[in-house]
Amino acid sequence: MLKSLQRLTVLFALSAFTLLSFPICAQLNDIGYLPKGQNYNPDIPLPTEVLGYPVGTWHVRHDQLVNYMKLLAQKSDRVSVIETGATHEQRPLLLLTITSASNHQNVDQIKAKHINNIATGNSAVSTDPLILYMGYSVHGNEPSGSNASMLVAYHLAASNSPEVETLLNENIVLLDPSLNPDGLARFAQWANMHKGKNLVTDSMHREHEEHWPSGRTNHYWFDLNRDWLLLTHPESKARIKQFHAWRPHVLTDFHEMGTDSTYFFQPGVPSRKNPLTPSQNVTLTGALAKFHAKALDADKQLYFTEESYDDFYYGKGSTYPDAHGSLGILFEQASSRGHAQESINGVLTFPRSIQNQVTTSLSTFDGAMANKAPILAYQKQFYRDTQKLIKDDDISGYLVAQGKDASRFERMIDILQSHQIELQLVTKDKEVGGVSYKANKAIFIPLAQTQYRLIQSLFSERKRFADNTFYDVSNWNIGLAFNLPYSATKSSVSRKLSLVEWQSRVAVENNLIKDEYAYVFEWHDHQAPALLQRLLEKGVQVRAAGADFKAQTTKGEIDFSKGAIVIPAAIKQPEDLLSLVSNYAKQYNISVHTITSGLTSKGIDLGSRKFVKVDKPEVLMIGGVGTSSYEVGEIWHYLDTRLGVPATLLDLSDLKSRSLERYTHIIFASGRYSNVKESVVKKITDWVHKGGVLIGQKSAVSWFAENEWIDNKLVSKDALKAAFPINGLSYGDKSALAAKKLVAGAVYKSKIDLSHPLFFGFERETLPLFKTNNMVLEVTENPFEDIAKYTDEPLMAGYSADEMQELIRNTTAIVATKRQKGVVIGFVDNVHFRGYWDGTNKLTANALYLSSLL
Ligand SMILES: [Zn+2]
């Protein structure tokens, strides 16, 4: 019957679908969402007064949300609000503190005492407040949370009921109404611009089918609900500061899921909890769940628990708190994705989805208050258990070495410190397990600190798990992500280390000499490509070294490695060359040297043919429908924020009608390319033959292979099937088999050819790659093309079935092939994973700037 009703009108829907008890034309009003029998303070404005309509009539715009929350803070002595930061698009990130007026007078002391208890393991007393952090709609196109947050804030600010007064007299509510303002803004615009006077509930309607990219993600199309640990984005950086300033007892994370679903609240799948999270966390989550169940029962709503969602990856909003003795709680509401949409349960309206989020927000308060004593006790027990784990651990800490890339090393340290992880600088050389940790170029991270569990998760090399199905990645080892040598050390070793407090690097002083023979800088540093890009934009002429050399400089003879960038005075340069080089080198903290002669004592001379010209790249990224917005976003984020390259983004569907002539490089992320027209394939082939550099990753590489742009063949789907025999399996084994065939996020070891220009600036022969797919690329006959191969025993960390490892071992990980004057480069894995995998993201810079060495 649903199928025949293509365009339901509001009136018709009233009589036909009221299954979810929220008819789509019901007369809305803000109070209707809130518990009955409240005595509301008339001086506190309802959301309607700012919006101009009741909540749920339209999707709230972020600016309206901000205005309402600021107005509440103005009108209510229970509410204060701060801007904790700003998004990429400069929207303010808000945090409301809601508690009694008298608690507001002492809020700094209350906070300080609570933080001190956490740091020292002191007992909280029964009169100490619970800190309840309410976070909403980290996914922008799951907007019921943010829309509900106005009603929850109003209720707390205005209600004089005994329940609310007790809640606020005895506890502190923190409320973040929009964890992802840029995504919320994008989605609100989409939903509102398609809304007519008559709501269209047909799921085919454009309102319910966002185009590319969706509002789920932030400005650079990253999933902020994976970024709590990685801290790639300003939203997460601002939030994590508040998390540590407050260390809430409970943190909620309100989401939406598929339209045909019901409602979910944690506990999640019991066997898929992170083993570093105490089981008491699940017990207490279950105690709160009883209150959600009771509240939803009263409203006759369907729901489920302990299925689908898990708490393994610590980078999510409902899981990060679990590593800190807090209770992170995930809520998932079926999405109307618009104002009203047909579902298997009848028409699901936007107000209905908002209602459920209001209901479970309030049941969170009820549940937390009823379980106050065990929740307060749990934070202390968590501290004690952590001390025991530290004592029982054979390992006393981790040494991490810097190598020649100080910027990458410091970025990793910045992430660790943002998580309140203490670390120290090593001041005397030390050799551990064949790795040499040099004085002032290595750190030690002691395990004897309150962040023990988070540190252990950040250096985990676990490969075997109780349950092999993962909702997200199975590993996020920071040492592997940043490709830095590290060692777990026993106390017998760490006791003898010479350590001082870590201090950031001082600014490099270059003191360059004017009008000398040439300037030069090494390529190892992560900021070197950004420095090069700035110089190229200013018309500076540079040459990249194809081989090592030892040059005479104003500071004596110095060795330089392959990939070093030379700026010779012999070629016409901008008049202000010296100040350009000096200023940019200072900005990026890069050592630049003055060379006094073209004759070198070792290696190539400065006029050698092995120095090649580097031109400013003109980059085209292919995006749009059919490509992965996550991966395109990651590439865009790297080019834009790390290199400062203004890349053109073109939709895949527009490729056929556009000229490629002006571009030097084209980048393809994962996508569905099998339907790309023959004429487009020919256009790209011709462009490569004329000298273009074609770069692709993951499924783009399989398309490259299909088009014979690379010589490698894909291992067929049949071979993959054959590796996982199904004889004798029962129907119940089906989903476990599917999970085995996936690589949901594990680290694989590759061996790279350091003599290849794509790896200039890299220091170690092995390179950890983050694998999120099961594509296998056969090696070719030609060793000069298969420039990185997975090793014989490739799995370094995370889950991957033995059969998958067997298929992948010794196959090609990275390929680079000459095609006439052009080059084709393929990465089997995502080299920009979540803006976190810094060990491999510079491969893109090498492909942009050093491809002329091929
Ligand atoms: Zn979500």
Side-chain angles (χ1 to χ4, degrees), residues 186-199:
R186 206 156 65 231
F187 185 69
Q189 171 77 1
W190 181 266
N192 288 338
M193 71 191 241
H194 293 104
K195 182 191 169 192
K197 293 195 187 327
N198 300 292
L199 298 187

Side-chain angles (χ1 to χ4, degrees), residues 47 50-53 58-71 94 147 150 188 192:
V50 165
L51 301 177
Y53 52 78
W58 296 87
H59 283 247
V60 69
R61 299 194 317 264
H62 188 258
D63 58 302
Q64 294 172 311
L65 189 64
V66 170
N67 288 344
Y68 179 65
M69 295 305 182
K70 287 189 170 173
L71 184 64
L94 299 188
N147 284 270
M150 292 181 284
N192 288 338

Side-chain angles (χ1 to χ4, degrees), residues 324 629 665:
H324 293 85
S629 64
H665 295 74

Side-chain angles (χ1 to χ4, degrees), residues 11-227:
L11 278 175
F12 186 67
L14 174 66
S15 56
F17 300 103
T18 54
L19 290 180
L20 286 170
S21 76
F22 227 111
I24 60 175
C25 74
Q27 198 56 49
L28 291 173
N29 70 73
D30 293 348
I31 296 289
Y33 289 96
L34 296 168
K36 295 202 172 51
Q38 301 284 307
N39 178 16
Y40 283 117
N41 177 351
D43 297 337
I44 305 299
L46 281 156
T48 300
E49 291 173 42
V50 165
L51 301 177
Y53 52 78
V55 170
T57 318
W58 296 87
H59 283 247
V60 69
R61 299 194 317 264
H62 188 258
D63 58 302
Q64 294 172 311
L65 189 64
V66 170
N67 288 344
Y68 179 65
M69 295 305 182
K70 287 189 170 173
L71 184 64
L72 269 191
Q74 236 178 56
K75 298 282 184 185
S76 167
D77 58 5
R78 294 174 175 177
V79 182
S80 69
V81 62
I82 55 167
E83 290 187 9
T84 62
T87 67
H88 287 291
E89 295 175 17
Q90 299 302 304
R91 289 189 176 82
L93 296 157
L94 299 188
L95 188 67
L96 280 70
T97 304
I98 310 177
T99 188
S100 69
S102 68
N103 283 340
H104 266 294
Q105 304 292 322
N106 311 312
V107 79
D108 289 337
Q109 289 99 300
I110 295 172
K111 195 200 281 184
K113 184 180 175 219
H114 168 61
I115 294 297
N116 185 55
N117 284 348
I118 282 175
T120 58
N122 281 349
S123 298
V125 293
S126 62
T127 52
D128 283 344
L130 287 176
I131 316 290
L132 308 171
Y133 187 120
M134 310 299 287
Y136 295 93
S137 299
V138 71
H139 295 139
N141 63 358
E142 300 172 6
S144 54
S146 286
N147 284 270
S149 76
M150 292 181 284
L151 298 159
V152 175
Y154 168 78
H155 178 68
L156 296 182
S159 171
N160 293 322
S161 70
E163 294 80 26
V164 170
E165 294 212 327
T166 308
L167 172 72
L168 299 184
N169 285 337
E170 297 178 4
N171 305 285
I172 295 178
V173 176
L174 303 171
L175 189 147
D176 183 336
S178 169
L179 298 161
N180 173 14
D182 293 348
L184 185 80
R186 206 156 65 231
F187 185 69
Q189 171 77 1
W190 181 266
N192 288 338
M193 71 191 241
H194 293 104
K195 182 191 169 192
K197 293 195 187 327
N198 300 292
L199 298 187
V200 182
T201 61
D202 178 0
S203 59
M204 301 270 277
H205 183 46
R206 203 164 186 265
E207 177 181 356
H208 310 304
E209 280 287 336
E210 282 173 281
H211 275 206
W212 192 100
S214 78
R216 175 183 174 89
T217 49
N218 79 342
H219 175 76
Y220 286 102
W221 316 330
F222 278 62
D223 187 337
L224 289 179
N225 197 36
R226 303 294 181 270
D227 196 44

Side-chain angles (χ1 to χ4, degrees), residues 137-142 216 223 225-226 253-257 309 330-332 337 471:
S137 299
V138 71
H139 295 139
N141 63 358
E142 300 172 6
R216 175 183 174 89
D223 187 337
N225 197 36
R226 303 294 181 270
D253 194 19
F254 287 90
H255 288 252
E256 292 180 13
M257 55 185 165
Y309 301 97
L330 173 69
F331 297 94
E332 295 272 357
R337 206 81 70 203
Y471 185 78

